[in-house]
Amino acid sequence: MFRRLRASWRRLLATLGGDLHGEREITDELRSHLDHHIEDNLRAGMTRDVAERAARVHAGGLGQTVEQVRDRRGLAWLDSLTQDVHCAARSARRRPKFAVVAVLTLAIGIGTTTALFSLVYAVLLNPFNYEGADRTVNLSLLTDTGAPQGVFLTADQLTQLRRASVVEDAVATDAFGMTLTGGDLPEYARTLFYSLNGPGFLGIRPVLGRIFTEADTLGGGTPARVVILSYAFWRSRFAGATDVVGRTVQLDRTPYTIIGVAPPGFGGDILVPLDMGSDPSHAWSGGMVRLKPGTDLSAAQSELQALMTGFAAESPQRFPPGFRVRVSRLIEGRRAASFALPLVVSFAAAVLLLVVTCVTVSVLSLARGAARLRELAVRQAIGASRWRLVRQLMAESLVLALAGAGAGIAFAYWGTPRALKWLPPNSFPDVAETVYVSGPVLLFGVGLALLTSVLSGLSPALTLSRRRVGGLFQAAMVLVSDADHGRAHQVLVAAQVAFTVLLLAGTGAGVRSLLALLNTPLGYDPSNVLVVSANLPLGSYREWAARATFFEQLRARIASTPQVDAAGMSIYGGVPPRMGWRSLVEVPGRTVPPGMHPIVHRVSPEYFAALRIPVLRGRVWSAAEGQRATGVAVVTQGMARAFWPGADPIGQRIHVPELARSSSQFVLAAPGADGWMEVVGVVGDTPNIGLHDAPAPAMYVPHTVMLGDGAVFAIRTTGAEPLALLRTVREQMQAISPGQAVAQARTAQDALDAGGWARERFVVFLLSGFGVLALVLAVVGLFSVVSFSVARRVREFGIRLALGARRTTIATLALRPLAWSIAAGLVVGVALSTVANALLARWSIGDLTDPVVLKVAWLVHKFNEIAAADGFVPIEVNPSAGD
Amino acid sequence: MSKQDIWQGTLALMVLKTIELMGPQHGYGIARRIEQTSGHQLLVNYGTLYPALLKLEQEGYLTSYWDTSDNNRRAKYYKLTRTGKRRIEKATAEWEQATEILARFLSPGEA
Amino acid sequence: MVTLGEVLIALRGLEKSYPQGSGRSWVLRQIHAEIRAGEFVSIMGPSGAGKSTLLHILGMHDAEWDGEYHFLGTAVHALKPKHRSELHKAHIGFVFQSYHLLDDLTVAENLEVPLSYRDVGRKERQARVADTLDRFQIVGKKDLYPGQLSGGQQQLVGVARAVIANPQVILADEPTGNLHSEQGREIMELFTRLNAAGTTIVQVTHSETNAAYGRRIIHLRDGHVVQPEESQVHAAQA
Ligand SMILES: Nc1ncnc2c1ncn2[C@@H]1O[C@H](COP(=O)(O)OP(=O)(O)O)[C@@H](O)[C@H]1O
Ligand SMILES: [Mg+2]
C-alpha cells in the first residue's frame, strides 16, 4: 500500500514537473544504460567512436522504446484517473443533495481563505510591484536616542548617492497635496513627487502614454511640467477616458500636461517630477535606494554611513549629532505595520475555518459512506483492490474540492472588493487598487483544492475502503455497528468540535476587545463634527501675517454658516484619535526624562468648543491672544500629572525649541517667537496616539505660533448630518478664495473608524462570521453522524419506542456515543485556545481562555447537542436488503 | 500465443531469476547477464528489456530506485519484491511442467 | 497451467461462527470438500443452512473463518488480505443472488468495471464489453441503468459481469432465484456452455431442475456437509 502510494506520488511529482509519462525518467535510464555499455566497450579496448557505435547498435531503437514505455506507464494511470473522475462526477450528479452541501461547504472554506489570502498577498507578501523591489531599501537615520528620522538631500547629494558603489539607483521623493482646478469646485490631489528617474526606478509600465525620464527637463535642471495619473485617479476623476494623454490640467494654478497613466499599485492620485533646484539649501527626502544585486545590508549600511557622514559635514542642520544610518528593506516596514497582525490573525482564522469545512465534509462523506458500503463491497467482490477504492474515493473528493474551489474562488473574486468597501480608506494600504484574484492567488486556490481534497477525503477513503466484504452481503450485517467506522467518526467529530471551540474562543476574544475599545472614554464628543482640511497652493501666502489672516477669514466664514455651531482650526494633525506630534520640551527647574516627548498640538481657541473637550481648570486663551500668537498653552490632565505632579500647573512655563523658528519652507513661525509658553489652563485627555494606547501627555498652543501651509477645520453642526454641510462649506471657502480646494472631508466619527474602530470591527465581524459558520458546520456534521448512528440502530429504537420509551430517552441513547467525542473536542479546543492565546498575547485582543468565552463555547455546544437530538426524528430509514 | 508473447513471458522469468541470483541490478547489468548466461545466443535490446521491466514493476514483482553503480554512474536499480519471489517459484514450476509435456510430444519414443 | 481434473478447491475442517451472547453460534462446521477444475457443482440445502456463507468464503469475500482452504494449491487461510484479493481477482467470477449491480453505472460500464480493475487496456476493454453484450444479447440495453431493467435482465448482466474477465471458476449464489423458469433455463444453459469450455461452476440452488445441469451436488444442512441419503432422511423427518 505505501509502496504504491509512494510510486504514485513520485509519478504525480513527475507529472507536475511536466514529465507526464515518465519520459524524462525513462530517457535518463536508457542514457545510463548506454553509458555503461560504452564504458565496458572502452574497457574492452575499443576506440571511443567504435565503442559508442557498437553500444548503440546493440541497444536498438531509443525513440521507439521511449514510446513503448510511455504507453505502458502514462496511459494506464491516466486512463484509470479519468475513469475515476468521470465516475465521481456521475455519482455527484446522481446524489445532488450531498454534492451540493459538500461543494457549498468547501466553497465557503476555500472562498474565505482565498479572499483573505488575496489581501495578505497584496498587502504583506507582494505589495510592491516595483522592479527589484526586494533590493529596494528605505534609508533613514537614527538619532543618538534611537529615534528614526528621514534623510534630506540636495540635488547634488542625490547625484553622489546614486553613484555610490553599493547603490544601483536612488530617488528623491516628496508627497503632499496639490489643488486641481478646472472642475466644478477645486479638487485636492494627493501628489507623489519623484526625481525624474523615479518612474524608471519603480519600473512603472504605463497603461497609457509614457512615463517621465531624465530627458524631461526645461533646461537648467528644472523638470518639465508633466504629470502621470494614478490608475485609480484616472478611473475616478477622468472616467478612464483613453484620450487623457496630452490634456492640460491646472495644478496649484500652473498648467501641467498629462503624459501617461500608471498601472494599479503605485498609490497617490498623481505623480509629478520633483524640482530639486540647484539651491543647496533645498533638501528633499532621498529615502529610497535600490542596492546592486548581491549587496548585503550591513555592507550597504557601512558604505552609506561614510557617505552620509560626509553630507552631514556639508549640511549639519539636517543630520542629528551622532546619527547612525539605517537601511531596511521596504517589505520590513510593511510587515511591522499595525495592520499586519490583524490581517494575519484573520487569515489564520480563515484557514481554521477551512479546516473545519474539510472535517465537516469528511464527516458527511463518512456518513454517506454508510449508504455506500454495499456498493464498495460489490466493487471489492468484483476485483477492486483497496488501493483502487481509495483512489476512486479520493477522485470523488477531488471532484468535490475542485467544484468547491471554483465556486469559492468566484465568490472571493466577487466578494473581496465588495467586502473591502466596508473598510474606511487606508485601513490597509492601497488595497483598492491591488487586491484582486491574481495568478498567484488563483494558484493558491487550486492548491487549497488539492489540499482540501486530501484533508476531507483521505480519512473517509481509508475507512471506507477497509476490507470487510463478507458480512455486508448478509442481511443481518447491514445495520450492525461497525467499530472502525464509528471510531473514525468519533475522531472527526472531536476534531470538528475542537476547531470550532478555537474559532469561537477567537471570536469571543475579538468581541471583548472591540467592546473594550468602544467603552474607552473618549474625552470629547465625536458626533456631528465635520472635519475639513484645506491646503494652500504651493508657495502662496509666504508672509506670516497674511497667512494668519487668511486662515482666520476662512474659519470665521465657516463659523458664520447657518447650521454651524462652532468652528475650530488646527494646523496639521487634525482631530482625535491622532493629533499633533511629539516634541522636545524643556521645563525650568526640572529635568525632563529622556524619551518624555509630549504631544504638541497647534489649535485656535474655538477648537475646544467645537470638539467639546472640557476645560477643567484655568482658561483657554482668547481670540485676541490667538491673533497675537501669545506664548500661552493649555495642557491635558495627563500632562499636568506627568510634568508637575502635586503642583499647580497653571502659571508654569515650558519651552518648546521647535516652535522658535521655521524648520522648513512650508511653516512660518510668528515674528519674535521664542518657543516659551505659559500654562493658562488644564483640559481633559483625549486619544492622541491612536485608539489602542492611552492618551499621551499633550499640550495645546495657539496655531498662530507656527503656521503651516494647510489647516484642518473642526466644524460642529447644530445637529445636521455633518457631510450634508460639506458643499456649503466649500462654497464659503470659494467666496473667500476662488480656487481654494478641500483636501479631505470626513466626520470626526470617520476619523475614529479610520483610527482603528473600523478595522477592529471588520476583524471582529470576520471572526464572528467564521465562528457562526463553524458552528453551523458543526451542527451539520453532528446531525449527519447522529442520523448515521440512528440509521444503524433503527430497529432497536423502534422496539424501544414501541415499548413506551420517550423520545428524549431515545435522543440520549442516540447521542451517548458522541458525548465522549464532544467532550474530548471541548477539552482539546480549550487547550488549543490556551496555546493560541499565548501566541496572540502580543496583539491587544481579549483573553481566549477568558471564562466568559469558554462559557459561550460550552453553551453553544449544548445548543448543538439539542439541535442534533431533535434532528434525528425525521431521518428516513432504509434497511437495504441483503442476500 | 504469438511469438512475441512467448519471448515476453520467458524474458520476464529470466529477468526475475537474474535479479534473484545477482541481487538488485540495473537494466544494463540485467541485459549483460542474460546475454552471458545464454552464451550470447540471445540479444537483449532496449525495446524488449525496458517494457518488460516496467510491466514487472507495475505488476508489483519488482521495485526500482536510483543509485550510483560500481563505476560511479547513476543508474536505476531493480529489486525483487516478496510477490516477485513467489512468482519465480510458481513460474518455474509451470515452466518445468510445460517443458516436460512438450518434451513428451517432441520425443514420444522415450515416454 | 491447469490440467483437467486438478484440484481447484480443497476445504479441510472449515468452520464459521458468529459471537452470540457469551458463546458462539456456528454457521459452518467441519466442512471437508474438494472441487476439481472443470467440475459443475451445485450446493443445496434448506434456508439458513450456510450455503451463502460458504460461497462467500470460497469467493474470498469473507476472511473470518477457521480451518484450511486451498485454492489451486495456494493456502488461502495463510494469505494476507492483499494477496487473497489478487488471487480472487485473477481466478474468480461471482454472481450474487440479488444482482448487486452498480446503480450509478450503465450496463456497459458495469461490465467494464471488472476489466478496469484487472488493468485491461481501454481498447481491449471496449472490444470485450461489445463482445460480451453481443454474446448475452443485451446490446440494446447497454446504455440503460440497472434500475431500468427487469430482475431477469439484471441477473443476466450480473452473470455477464462475472464471466467477462474469463475467470477460471464462477461462483453463483442462487443465480436464478429471482427469475422465471425460462430465464433460469437460459442462464443454466449458459453455465453449461461455459463449463464445456473449461470453466468450473459452483452454484447454490434450491431447484432440482437447476441442480440437474451440474454433475455433482453438495448437500448442506445446519452447517454440515451431509451425504445424499442422510439428506433424504433429514428431509423425510422434516
Ligand atoms: N452476521 C451474522 N451474525 C449472526 N448470524 C448470521 C450472520 N449472518 C448470517 N448468519 C446466520 O448464518 C446462517 C447461515 O446463513 P446463510 O449462509 O445466509 O444461509 P443460506 O444461504 O443457506 O440460506 C443463518 O442461520 C444466519 O442467521
Ligand atoms: Mg443464501
Side-chain angles (χ1 to χ4, degrees), chain A residues 90 94 374 379 383 470 883, chain C residues 61 89 98 100 104 109 117:
Chain A
R90 171 97 54 91
R94 283 172 66 91
R374 187 189 70 95
R379 284 182 179 275
D883 276 3
Chain C
H61 303 157
K89 182 158 97 176
S98 38
H100 285 319
D104 289 348
E109 286 164 343
Y117 287 156

Side-chain angles (χ1 to χ4, degrees), chain A residues 347-423:
Chain A
F347 178 64
V351 171
L352 201 57
L353 180 67
L354 178 69
V355 172
V356 172
T357 59
C358 287
V359 177
T360 307
V361 172
S362 286
V363 170
L364 289 178
S365 320
L366 208 50
R368 183 169 105 79
R372 297 185 59 186
L373 285 180
R374 187 189 70 95
E375 177 212 324
L376 296 174
V378 170
R379 284 182 179 275
Q380 288 189 333
I382 59 179
S385 59
R386 176 167 187 210
W387 168 238
R388 186 67 204 262
L389 283 189
V390 169
R391 240 166 49 190
Q392 186 199 328
L393 292 166
M394 289 304 289
E396 283 172 24
S397 63
L398 182 66
V399 166
L400 292 179
L402 285 177
I409 291 171
F411 162 75
Y413 185 79
W414 176 87
T416 310
R418 281 164 181 78
L420 287 176
K421 289 225 175 85
W422 288 32
L423 277 171

Side-chain angles (χ1 to χ4, degrees), chain A residues 473-474 882-883, chain C residues 46-53 56 97 173-174 204 206:
Chain A
F473 297 113
Q474 249 96 74
D883 276 3
Chain C
S47 213
K51 306 182 295 293
S52 295
T53 308
H56 282 296
Q97 179 175 5
D173 193 0
E174 302 193 39
V204 169
H206 283 298

Side-chain angles (χ1 to χ4, degrees), chain A residues 723-740:
Chain A
L723 285 174
L725 276 183
L726 179 58
R727 179 143 192 116
T728 324
V729 168
R730 289 176 78 174
E731 283 162 1
Q732 297 289 6
M733 288 165 71
Q734 281 284 293
I736 302 263
S737 162
Q740 178 58 53

Side-chain angles (χ1 to χ4, degrees), chain A residues 473-495:
Chain A
F473 297 113
Q474 249 96 74
M477 215 31 212
V478 176
L479 296 178
V480 171
S481 85
D482 176 341
D484 288 340
H485 208 131
R487 207 169 314 126
H489 248 149
Q490 276 165 1
V491 170
L492 287 175
V493 166

